[in-house]
Amino acid sequence: MILELHHIQLAMPEGEEQAARNFYCGVLGLREVDKPEELRSRGGAWFESGSVKVHLGVEKPFAPAKKAHPAFRVEKLDQTIAALQSRSIGFRFDADLPGIRRIYVSDPFGNRIELLELV
């Protein structure tokens, strides 16, 4: 019955929209899109790239997702790693899976993000 994944929502602390923009736009290369007028007063930010949609919503009290996570496919993991290193953003390697190379990075709020390349 499910047709597709429409978006993923992650939590963020109140008032940290600029940190979200810096990471999701500046590091991951997504672009910010306007939230609907009805939701703007709640804070947070929405980002997209192609069919990938990430919504960050303010959660009080805030707690980052340490295990649950989105996994974003990248074209070239080595270039992604170099981009993270050039910005002094930490990441960790994990066991590769059949046909997949992957790393984990945390957003500015501690949410776990998997970046993977199909090989």
Side-chain angles (χ1 to χ4, degrees):
M1 298 301 291
I2 295 174
L3 299 176
E4 66 182 6
L5 178 65
H6 183 270
H7 71 274
I8 183 136
Q9 172 130 4
L10 297 171
M12 63 176 279
E14 186 173 30
E16 294 294 327
E17 286 79 6
Q18 190 57 51
R21 288 180 192 101
N22 293 345
F23 181 78
Y24 286 92
C25 295
V27 176
L28 296 186
L30 296 137
R31 65 180 170 79
E32 186 172 11
V33 296
D34 290 333
K35 291 178 64 172
E37 183 66 39
E38 300 83 1
L39 300 179
R40 290 183 190 157
S41 65
R42 298 180 186 179
W46 289 11
F47 304 95
E48 293 182 4
S49 178
S51 64
V52 175
K53 297 178 184 178
V54 180
H55 296 176
L56 274 88
V58 171
E59 185 174 67
K60 297 185 250 182
F62 170 73
K66 297 287 189 181
K67 183 68 174 174
H69 64 277
F72 298 126
R73 186 171 65 87
V74 300
E75 187 174 7
K76 297 179 181 175
L77 189 60
D78 290 334
Q79 286 181 356
T80 301
I81 290 169
L84 293 172
Q85 289 172 328
S86 74
R87 292 175 171 88
S88 299
I89 296 173
F91 61 91
R92 70 175 184 82
F93 289 95
D94 199 359
D96 290 337
L97 302 173
I100 296 176
R101 292 182 56 225
R102 63 191 183 148
I103 62 171
Y104 289 103
V105 63
S106 293
D107 75 4
F109 320 117
N111 292 311
R112 181 181 183 184
I113 309 244
E114 182 175 347
L115 301 172
L116 64 86
E117 177 185 16
L118 302 179
V119 292

